[in-house]
Amino acid sequence: MTQKVLMPAKSIPGPAPMPILGSKGNLINFMRDPIGYMIMLRREYGDVAALVREVPRGMVFAFGPRYNQQILSEADTYLNAGITQPGPRESANNRIGVGLLSMNGEAHKRVRRLVSMPFHYKTVPTYHQPVAALVKEMVDGWTDGQVIDIWQELTQLTKRISIKMLLGLSDVNTALSVADLMEEWFSVNISFPARLMPVDLPGFPYQRMLKLAERVEVRLLDLIKQKRESLSENDQDVLSLLLRAGDDESAPFTDAELVGQVNFLFAASYETTANSMSWILFLLSQHPEIMTSVHEHLQEVLDGRIPAYEDLEKLTVLERVMKEGLRLFAPPVYAYRVLSKDIELDRYEMPQGSTIAFSHYMTHHMPEIYEEPERFNPDRWLTIKPTNFEYLPFGAGAHACLGGSLAYLIMKITFSTILSRYRLTVVPNSLIERKVLVTLQPRHGIPMQLTKQDGKFAMSKVPVRGNVHEMVKLG
């Protein structure tokens, strides 16, 4: 029997370190445009490629469903390293960054079991009414002929929805102040300057991150204290449910754990949903024949009214549009894991501590899986049924997103309400470009003009500029 001979990890192909800057230069180029960099990696080096070649335990990408399954099915081997940087051991930044995405093993299983309760299929319907009310409030504030940045509008909406569902906060100013504070900390934490220069001195982003973390922790602890003192069985927000959580196997959360989980759930929810809805509305505006089908189906099912919960499952045309939009513009573009032991990856021997990355976006754009992958074709979902490792907008495996069904509820209510009242047209020749930090967002927003719904969707197809043309065919 021939013994399999493995090659060392340093022999994995990839680009050489940049002149002068070395591997940091490659990392800067990757962070500027992860999608463009990954496309180059796969085109030039294949399905297994190093971010920078010959860097000990440097990031290695493994593209495609075969590797997705290997990475996402072996949670004890491929450890989740989380998204945020922890900061000093005893810092507020360290404490508020402890959420599901940074946990592994038994600790992860315990917390996931408790945190999953607010996203149970029996709980999700209770969010319908508050979501519908907030969506209606947003749309009621729009006027015929107005030009808005749909991404900014939807980001404000999903912030309010997330804070309402997480903390039960109804007051607009209070809700947005808490949301904005958590968002500011998260943005600084994941920024390249804070990661590149972890210096705790005035003027450095890293110190700003630490100070913001202290403010987030104080604010959330105060809200937890208030909630605990006024807790009622009728309260169905996530914090209330978590305060009542705990059973024979799991002790209730401590206040420190609650801060981390609430902060994580907020970061994981609002931005992803806002980005996805923005891209899908952009796609519909650029494909009048598909928008016509959606509008006709919405009229048939809803006749202009906001959908009741029982209506949502009837919106099958809209659901196919959403699936296709999430395929083309996958909310998480890539993720990575850290090896807990030595493993085999294809024909390479990867040592413990190595970083292995996979890409939702690259998988969704593989012609081997999806015919004409850059074409927006919702009807493909009438005939295809990809596996969890071929289609993973919400991830897969032990760390799969808990909020998929809730995101679908928010999107269906939002799309139905907007599209029944307005036709959306991108401002002609707008620059539509991608930006990737954790999720895929429009770098310059998406400016759109609102027209009272008249069904004249051919008028909404306009020329746009930018690298969006690399992601979807708009001809």
Side-chain angles (χ1 to χ4, degrees):
M1 183 175 179
T2 304
Q3 185 176 4
K4 184 177 181 181
V5 179
L6 297 175
M7 300 169 65
K10 67 178 183 179
S11 64
I12 294 175
M18 296 280 290
I20 303 175
L21 292 175
S23 60
K24 282 188 177 179
N26 299 67
L27 182 59
I28 290 171
N29 284 340
F30 172 72
M31 294 296 289
R32 282 176 179 162
D33 184 14
I35 289 175
Y37 200 96
M38 289 189 298
I39 290 172
M40 176 276 294
L41 282 181
R42 187 171 188 243
R43 181 184 64 243
E44 297 188 14
Y45 303 103
D47 285 342
V48 177
L51 187 73
V52 191
R53 69 171 177 252
E54 297 184 1
V55 174
R57 293 178 172 80
M59 183 180 287
V60 171
F61 274 92
F63 298 118
R66 167 190 168 193
Y67 299 111
N68 295 342
Q69 183 169 5
Q70 180 177 339
I71 294 166
L72 295 171
S73 298
E74 301 175 26
D76 293 334
T77 299
Y78 295 85
L79 301 181
N80 205 324
I83 298 173
T84 58
Q85 55 176 325
R89 182 179 295 275
E90 298 302 323
S91 66
N93 190 85
N94 192 301
R95 291 188 293 272
I96 71 171
V98 178
L100 273 179
L101 280 183
S102 63
M103 307 180 80
N104 295 282
E106 291 304 315
H108 173 263
K109 291 178 183 176
R110 169 196 172 251
V111 170
R112 187 176 175 90
R113 183 167 59 247
L114 292 174
V115 171
S116 65
M117 182 177 61
F119 304 99
H120 191 273
Y121 74 93
K122 291 183 179 178
T123 308
V124 168
T126 65
Y127 302 129
H128 175 271
Q129 190 278 328
V131 168
L134 288 171
V135 172
K136 182 177 183 300
E137 184 180 329
M138 176 187 72
V139 178
D140 283 349
W142 295 350
T143 57
D144 185 28
Q146 181 183 4
V147 174
I148 61 172
D149 181 346
I150 194 67
W151 176 66
Q152 288 286 357
E153 292 284 321
L154 294 175
T155 297
Q156 290 298 98
L157 171 69
T158 54
K159 278 185 190 177
R160 291 187 62 192
I161 289 173
S162 293
I163 291 298
K164 172 70 174 176
M165 292 190 302
L166 284 172
L167 302 174
L169 295 177
S170 298
D171 178 72
V172 176
N173 292 331
T174 302
L176 288 178
S177 69
V178 175
D180 289 343
L181 181 59
M182 289 194 287
E183 179 193 27
E184 186 179 5
W185 168 80
F186 185 73
S187 297
V188 176
N189 183 289
I190 64 174
S191 69
F192 194 69
R195 291 177 180 272
L196 189 64
M197 297 178 289
V199 180
D200 186 7
L201 289 174
F204 282 84
Y206 186 82
Q207 186 181 81
R208 181 170 165 234
M209 172 193 80
L210 298 178
K211 298 294 185 184
L212 284 168
E214 292 170 0
R215 291 172 57 196
V216 169
E217 184 177 51
V218 169
R219 191 72 185 273
L220 289 181
L221 284 172
D222 183 55
L223 289 170
I224 289 167
K225 180 176 181 291
Q226 293 177 34
K227 178 68 68 174
R228 199 186 295 277
E229 291 172 350
S230 63
L231 188 62
S232 163
E233 286 295 325
N234 296 323
D235 294 333
Q236 293 299 308
D237 58 271
V238 171
L239 179 57
S240 296
L241 294 173
L242 293 181
L243 282 168
R244 294 197 293 265
D247 50 37
D248 293 337
E249 299 179 15
S250 300
F253 284 117
T254 65
D255 284 0
E257 287 178 317
L258 285 169
V259 168
Q261 297 306 327
V262 167
N263 191 44
F264 155 74
L265 289 170
F266 172 76
S269 59
Y270 86 93
E271 187 179 67
T272 300
T273 309
N275 292 342
S276 297
M277 290 195 294
S278 300
W279 288 120
I280 291 169
L281 287 173
F282 167 78
L283 288 168
L284 286 172
S285 74
Q286 293 291 294
H287 293 82
E289 69 290 349
I290 297 173
M291 184 61 243
T292 298
S293 297
V294 171
H295 182 248
E296 289 175 351
H297 190 63
L298 290 176
Q299 286 295 102
E300 178 186 333
V301 176
L302 301 174
D303 194 26
R305 60 185 170 80
I306 294 175
Y309 181 75
E310 54 270 20
D311 292 322
L312 298 182
E313 65 179 0
K314 303 172 188 175
L315 302 177
T316 53
V317 175
L318 183 57
E319 184 158 326
R320 292 198 297 275
V321 165
M322 289 159 51
K323 282 186 176 180
E324 182 70 346
L326 291 171
R327 182 191 68 80
L328 275 167
F329 294 89
V333 170
Y334 72 97
Y336 60 88
R337 302 288 190 265
V338 177
L339 294 179
S340 65
K341 62 181 181 181
D342 297 351
I343 61 104
E344 295 179 14
L345 183 70
D346 194 39
R347 61 184 186 276
Y348 302 103
E349 185 175 26
M350 304 298 300
Q352 178 182 351
S354 298
T355 301
I356 313 294
F358 63 100
S359 173
H360 318 65
Y361 181 91
M362 293 294 289
T363 302
H364 291 180
H365 285 255
M366 287 184 170
E368 306 95 300
I369 306 171
Y370 300 99
E371 184 179 356
E372 296 184 89
E374 274 71 53
R375 188 161 73 91
F376 179 52
N377 177 22
D379 282 349
R380 75 172 78 237
W381 294 93
L382 292 169
T383 57
I384 66 170
K385 192 174 182 179
T387 70
N388 291 338
F389 304 105
E390 294 172 326
Y391 181 69
L392 54 165
F394 301 107
H399 286 88
C401 175
L402 289 167
S405 59
L406 180 55
Y408 263 58
L409 178 143
I410 293 170
M411 287 194 284
K412 284 185 175 181
I413 294 172
T414 303
F415 291 146
S416 301
T417 306
I418 292 175
L419 297 175
S420 67
R421 297 193 31 196
Y422 289 104
R423 173 168 59 81
L424 279 64
T425 305
V426 179
V427 173
N429 297 308
S430 292
L431 183 62
I432 309 298
E433 300 248 310
R434 60 182 176 246
K435 178 183 177 181
V436 178
L437 292 175
V438 174
T439 57
L440 175 59
Q441 66 187 54
R443 180 178 294 275
H444 310 291
I446 304 178
M448 287 185 156
Q449 182 171 31
L450 303 171
T451 302
K452 188 175 180 180
Q453 186 55 264
D454 56 8
K456 298 177 180 179
F457 301 113
M459 297 177 65
S460 290
K461 183 171 174 57
V462 299
V464 297
R465 299 175 295 123
N467 59 21
V468 68
H469 292 280
E470 297 173 8
M471 299 186 285
V472 59
K473 291 181 179 178
L474 298 175

